[in-house]
Amino acid sequence: MTWTAQAQPLFLAGVLGWSGLAKAIDDDPRGRVADTALHRLLGGRLAADVFVALGIGEAVLALALLAAPGRPVALAAVALTVGFLAYLTYAAVATPQASCGCLGKKKVRLSWRSFARAGMLLAAALVTAFGAPAWWQSPPLLPLFLLLAGEAALFVALSAELDRLWLTPLRRLRVRVAPPLTGTPDVVPLQASISALVRSPAYRAMSAWLASDVLDHWDADGWRLLVYGVRLPDRRATAVFAVPLAQARLDAIRVTLVDEEDTVLALP
Amino acid sequence: MTPQVDRRQFLTRAALGGVTIVGATALGSLAPEAAFGAAGPAVAPGGVDPAFAEGRITAIAGSMLLTAGSDGTLNRIQTTSGTSVWKLTPAGLGDVRIGDGLYARGVRMPDGSLAADALWVNIVSLDAHVVSLASDRVHLDHHGSRLVGHVVPNVSAAVYNGTPAVTDLSMVPVGGHVHVVGAWRPDTTEIDVSTVYAKV
């Protein structure tokens, strides 16, 4: 099964090449590191420089893994992936709210997936370091391809930065196939009445005197009644707004003032 | 007939025209300009608004709520029958629990307590991305933190593209950006959804 070991430099080269190029040619490295643990560790300017240098280093290591996948290069890959794990541990302790800034432009918070992904890279580097024939020395092509495809799929699954490429579309598809929030009763939500109310001339006329939010509400004869507390210059009162349950013109909304002695007050 | 039903019937008739107006306003102008023109309490820029309080409820003594604010400020908040209470829906003081968070607006009394006109209990208003939908909940990502938004039948509503709110949340876009107003379930990462504002 030496071919499984032969596959690991290819897998590492693919990941490091992609990740390294993305870092090295980023047009806004300072923006990329702004919310990351690297920024906390090194400060703004140095973090951006280290970010770009790390990208170049990853890309060079990827080329070396392809061209000369011997033990020295493999040990360099082990050192790099151990460094990743150490950085993630620091980030989890020092800035658990921050992004690791590992892959892609999307910033995501650290989670167990970040550690699992770094562990996967370390395992691949260790397998490479224990030695195997170079990848071009007659490996069985189909198994090699299937293994690389599986590892790539696992890597993508562990990369929260890439969820939008596969997980979100899958979730959209599931919702489309079996919509989970259908069958709700056809009632007019209170928020619909309040939204219409606050845009109405009646509410505008009264709003300056309203002291409370909705005190009570109920439906009667195709109307929704909404009661608010009112503070008038010399007394407290109640404003009763009547909002049509059916959508209607905003000027159909009515308001009446009733004082504490149940005297219905005329409006100006 | 309960007093509440009796009162609702009276107010319904008052609002819909079934009651004769018996008191013309000898109250001076009710025009908005009069209210907006009135001198309000002076609040220096950056100063504390005496008409506002926020915090977690530490004790409930009758109609008085004791709260500890996020900045350590202790407040006594006096409620009355005229105090509106929002807790996902318009609610009553009996729905308020120790440990709830609140925002209160009212009038500061000489003894330092706040006579509350309105309380908003556990209210949250946040921007989020929709992770997924389930049969009775919406999973949200709020700045990298996962939140569960429980959909409450007949209460939770969605506003799509600024159109009137509806109770059908099935069009909330997975992966899309939304604004959510809801009621936090204290000490959890869960909320009950009041309104989801979404673009579809």
Side-chain angles (χ1 to χ4, degrees):
Chain A
M1 295 288 280
T2 53
W3 61 270
T4 56
Q6 285 177 285
Q8 301 317 310
L10 295 176
F11 169 65
L12 280 172
V15 171
L16 294 176
W18 174 24
S19 166
L21 277 180
K23 289 186 179 80
I25 64 173
D26 196 297
D27 54 2
D28 182 22
R30 286 197 183 189
R32 280 288 306 280
V33 299
D35 297 327
T36 65
L38 197 62
H39 188 279
R40 167 81 176 265
L41 184 65
L42 300 174
R45 174 172 292 189
L46 189 56
D49 293 342
V50 168
F51 180 78
V52 175
L54 180 64
I56 294 171
E58 288 178 4
V60 169
L61 187 56
L63 284 175
L65 282 163
L66 286 176
R71 180 155 292 175
V73 175
L75 288 177
V78 170
L80 183 68
T81 51
V82 168
F84 280 157
L85 273 170
Y87 167 69
L88 288 179
T89 306
Y90 163 80
V93 173
T95 56
Q97 310 288 316
S99 162
C100 79
C102 303
L103 189 71
K105 292 192 174 181
K106 186 171 172 58
K107 291 178 178 173
V108 295
R109 259 190 211 182
L110 285 177
S111 71
W112 67 269
R113 294 166 78 189
S114 315
F115 284 92
R117 185 176 63 185
M120 184 183 176
L121 293 179
L122 175 59
L126 283 172
V127 169
T128 307
F130 277 111
W135 58 269
W136 57 79
Q137 292 179 356
S138 308
L141 286 181
L142 183 62
L144 184 84
F145 174 78
L146 291 177
L147 177 64
L148 284 175
E151 285 189 314
L154 181 59
F155 183 83
V156 169
L158 291 173
S159 301
E161 298 92 336
L162 306 176
D163 282 355
R164 66 197 162 81
L165 299 178
W166 67 279
L167 190 55
T168 302
L170 267 184
R171 287 173 172 150
R172 282 196 189 118
L173 181 65
R174 185 177 63 83
V175 165
R176 194 168 298 147
V177 171
L181 286 170
T182 54
T184 49
D186 187 20
V187 297
V188 179
L190 181 61
Q191 187 57 43
S193 304
I194 292 174
S195 297
L197 172 64
V198 297
R199 290 183 288 120
S200 70
Y203 186 89
R204 282 206 301 275
M206 284 304 306
S207 63
W209 303 103
L210 298 181
S212 79
D213 200 352
V214 178
L215 280 168
D216 193 10
H217 66 98
W218 64 92
D219 296 346
D221 303 328
W223 296 81
R224 176 158 289 159
L225 287 301
L226 298 148
V227 176
Y228 287 73
V230 172
R231 187 180 291 117
L232 297 175
D234 64 343
R235 70 182 89 176
R236 283 187 166 272
T238 296
V240 188
F241 292 96
V243 181
L245 279 170
Q247 286 185 34
R249 289 158 46 112
L250 293 177
D251 55 11
I253 294 172
R254 307 178 190 178
V255 59
T256 299
L257 272 184
V258 179
D259 75 3
E260 288 176 311
E261 291 160 358
D262 279 352
T263 302
V264 180
L265 306 171
L267 296 174
Chain B
M1 187 174 291
T2 65
Q4 187 194 32
V5 172
D6 201 30
R7 172 102 179 130
R8 282 182 171 182
Q9 286 187 346
F10 167 72
L11 293 177
T12 301
R13 282 187 288 126
L16 299 180
V19 169
T20 307
I21 295 172
V22 293
T25 51
L27 303 169
S29 174
L30 284 180
E33 294 77 10
F36 288 128
V43 180
V48 177
D49 182 353
F52 175 78
E54 59 80 31
R56 300 284 296 271
I57 298 171
T58 56
I60 301 174
S63 57
M64 182 79 82
L65 306 176
L66 307 180
T67 65
S70 56
D71 61 353
T73 306
L74 303 177
N75 270 295
R76 287 177 298 131
I77 298 173
Q78 180 66 56
T79 63
T80 68
S81 60
T83 304
S84 65
V85 179
W86 183 98
K87 191 174 180 181
L88 186 62
T89 59
L93 189 60
D95 300 306
V96 178
R97 301 280 180 269
I98 291 173
D100 284 345
L102 61 75
Y103 296 108
R105 185 157 283 285
V107 178
R108 191 64 68 171
M109 295 286 103
D111 67 356
S113 65
L114 183 76
D117 289 317
L119 301 179
W120 293 274
V121 179
N122 293 336
I123 191 167
V124 292
S125 176
L126 49 90
D127 292 308
H129 281 88
V130 180
V131 175
S132 64
L133 304 181
S135 59
D136 59 352
R137 62 193 63 186
V138 180
H139 294 276
L140 301 166
D141 181 309
H142 175 57
H143 300 314
S145 296
R146 287 295 178 87
L147 295 177
V148 176
H150 294 274
V151 176
V152 181
N154 293 338
V155 173
S156 298
V159 173
Y160 299 112
N161 301 337
T163 55
V166 294
T167 52
D168 179 7
L169 272 69
S170 63
M171 289 189 291
V172 169
V174 173
H177 172 260
V178 293
H179 188 84
V180 182
V181 176
W184 176 51
R185 295 186 176 185
D187 301 317
T188 70
T189 54
E190 301 178 22
I191 61 173
D192 292 314
V193 174
S194 172
T195 310
V196 179
Y197 298 85
K199 189 176 178 184
V200 292

